[in-house]
Amino acid sequence: NFSLHANVLTEVMRTFGDKFNLWGFSMGGGIALWAGAKLDSGLIHNLTVLDPVGLTQKSLPRMGVDFFVVQGLRGMMDPTTRAKSFHQTSREKVDVHLFLLGAEILRKQQIDVEMLSKVRPEGEFRMVLGVNSPLIKEQSIVQMLSEAEDLRGERGESSPLKLFRLH
């Protein structure tokens, strides 16, 4: 789960002993959210996440369709992506065990509404949705954000969140 990654991230940040502007995309976004909610968020000045995974649950078959079919078709339509994919797969052997382990991490919900309501960087908290990741459910995430804002309000906390939607 994200806790191992977030713990390593926090230890690296503590080693440098400074406040960080933390940015994460996809799985990195989920890890950054987890770190911001569970760990010493005093290390995080500004937090920006793009299409973070870990906020919703997906079945393995659904994830396979979304990731391989949807994303694969998008990639095949773009000549640059097609060339990069061909070059990468022609020189690298894929470790199926690590691949399936990664898929298992990505498909599980690891951040709930309560955790999301506890993400409180010292500066800004920006979430960007709409980068066209097949791994996220944008509508579900927007609903979770709304519920997290309600929890913050019940605790008398102001909202640090700025939501951006790209379309």
Side-chain angles (χ1 to χ4, degrees):
N1 66 20
F2 290 168
S3 63
L4 173 64
H5 299 286
N7 286 328
V8 170
L9 172 65
T10 301
E11 287 306 310
V12 169
M13 292 166 68
R14 282 187 186 131
T15 300
F16 286 102
D18 205 353
K19 295 185 187 305
F20 286 80
N21 292 317
L22 189 57
W23 182 94
F25 171 65
S26 192
M27 184 173 171
I31 293 166
L33 287 174
W34 206 99
K38 288 285 194 179
L39 304 173
D40 183 4
S41 60
L43 294 169
I44 301 171
H45 181 64
N46 293 312
L47 174 63
T48 303
V49 294
L50 285 81
D51 282 349
V53 299
L55 295 165
T56 57
Q57 179 98 4
K58 280 194 175 222
S59 69
L60 203 51
R62 178 77 255 166
M63 188 176 151
V65 168
D66 289 349
F67 191 73
F68 291 111
V69 176
V70 175
Q71 192 71 6
L73 288 174
R74 283 185 195 151
M76 293 309 293
M77 301 302 286
D78 177 37
T80 304
T81 303
R82 222 175 23 243
K84 286 180 183 177
S85 295
F86 176 75
H87 178 70
Q88 183 176 358
T89 56
S90 66
R91 63 184 169 92
E92 293 181 16
K93 185 177 179 181
V94 175
D95 184 332
V96 175
H97 176 71
L98 286 177
F99 179 80
L100 291 175
L101 182 61
E104 187 64 20
I105 290 170
L106 290 174
R107 75 175 197 86
K108 288 187 174 179
Q109 180 176 6
Q110 301 192 46
I111 300 166
D112 61 15
V113 171
E114 179 68 29
M115 273 182 75
L116 193 57
S117 77
K118 293 179 180 174
V119 176
R120 305 246 347 132
E122 288 189 355
E124 291 186 344
F125 172 22
R126 294 172 287 237
M127 184 177 291
V128 181
L129 300 175
V131 184
N132 289 325
S133 170
L135 297 177
I136 70 157
K137 297 178 184 173
E138 186 174 329
Q139 186 175 1
S140 298
I141 291 173
V142 170
Q143 177 65 37
M144 284 183 72
L145 290 171
S146 175
E147 293 172 19
E149 293 300 299
D150 291 345
L151 287 177
R152 280 194 191 97
E154 290 171 12
R155 294 191 303 254
E157 299 173 357
S158 62
S159 173
L161 176 66
K162 293 182 180 178
L163 176 64
F164 301 91
R165 295 172 90 174
L166 306 175
H167 295 285

